[in-house]
Each structure stands twice: as C-alpha cells, then as structure tokens.
Amino acid sequence: MKTAVIYWSGTGNTEAMANAVAEGMGTEAVSVSDFGSSVAELDALALGCPAMGDEVLEESEFEPFFSGIENDLSGKKVFLFGSYGWGDGEWMRSWEEKVKNAGAELVNGEGFIVNDAPSDDDLAKLKEIGISIAG
C-alpha cells in the first residue's frame, strides 16, 4: 500500500501530529512544500493543516495544494488532522465535507483536532490511527 503524510505547520503543533501519524504508518511526514510525488498513485494519505485566520486552511501553500489534489482523492482513504487556537473546529468540518464530496473514504468518519499543542495522549492516538491506516 502506498501512503503519505503531508502537512503544513506554523508553530510545530501540526508537525508533531504529522510525525505521530507517520510513525504509525511506517513512513516519514513531509511538509506540503517538500511533497514532490503525485497523490494519484497513493492508496491512502494523511493530511494535516491547522486552522488559520477565520477558521480556514493555510492559504498560501496548503489550500492551493489541497485544491490541486481534490480531484485525485476519489476512492482513497484520507485522514485529516490539525490544531487550532480559537473557534470551534469549523475549518475541519468544511475540510471533511470537501474530502467526502471528492469521493474519498474519510478515516474514522471525521478529522482529528487538538486545541493548541497535542498532548502525549493525542500523539499516542494519532500513532494508533496511523497503524490502522497502514494495516
């Protein structure tokens, strides 16, 4: 199974989450700016992005990347994760809807969000989710 963990992180919180998922999946997390492969060839992927501004995906790198791969998500297992510092998770609900509308299978039926920094318990859960995705 071909998998990838692709993320954008401003403070390191989402990067820590990405590394936990990647550890479980048996791969390395890669920042969106360093991702050089095609999503079309993947079976499953984990995407991480924090809430930015008015609860939206990061707009200069991640949102354009996501818009560019949206049509390639059909039939794939997709796990979404990210951190936020305010709001109620609206950015994740909107993102989940986009992934479902693209025809992907949303792992666990919803994204995984944490307020500010992930706890050790959060990181352990993310690693378990990574294991289940790769399994």
Side-chain angles (χ1 to χ4, degrees), residues 75-128:
K76 298 184 185 313
K77 290 169 82 172
V78 178
F79 177 60
L80 303 177
F81 62 93
S83 63
Y84 67 102
W86 61 90
D88 68 356
E90 180 182 343
W91 106 100
M92 183 59 74
R93 290 189 299 276
S94 298
W95 196 12
E96 291 165 355
E97 200 61 35
K98 288 180 181 181
V99 167
K100 290 176 188 175
N101 288 341
E105 174 193 338
L106 187 60
V107 174
N108 289 341
E110 62 183 1
F112 189 100
I113 62 175
V114 300
N115 188 279
D116 294 322
S119 67
D120 289 343
D121 188 47
D122 292 328
L123 296 174
K125 288 177 186 172
L126 287 162
K127 182 178 176 182
E128 288 175 19

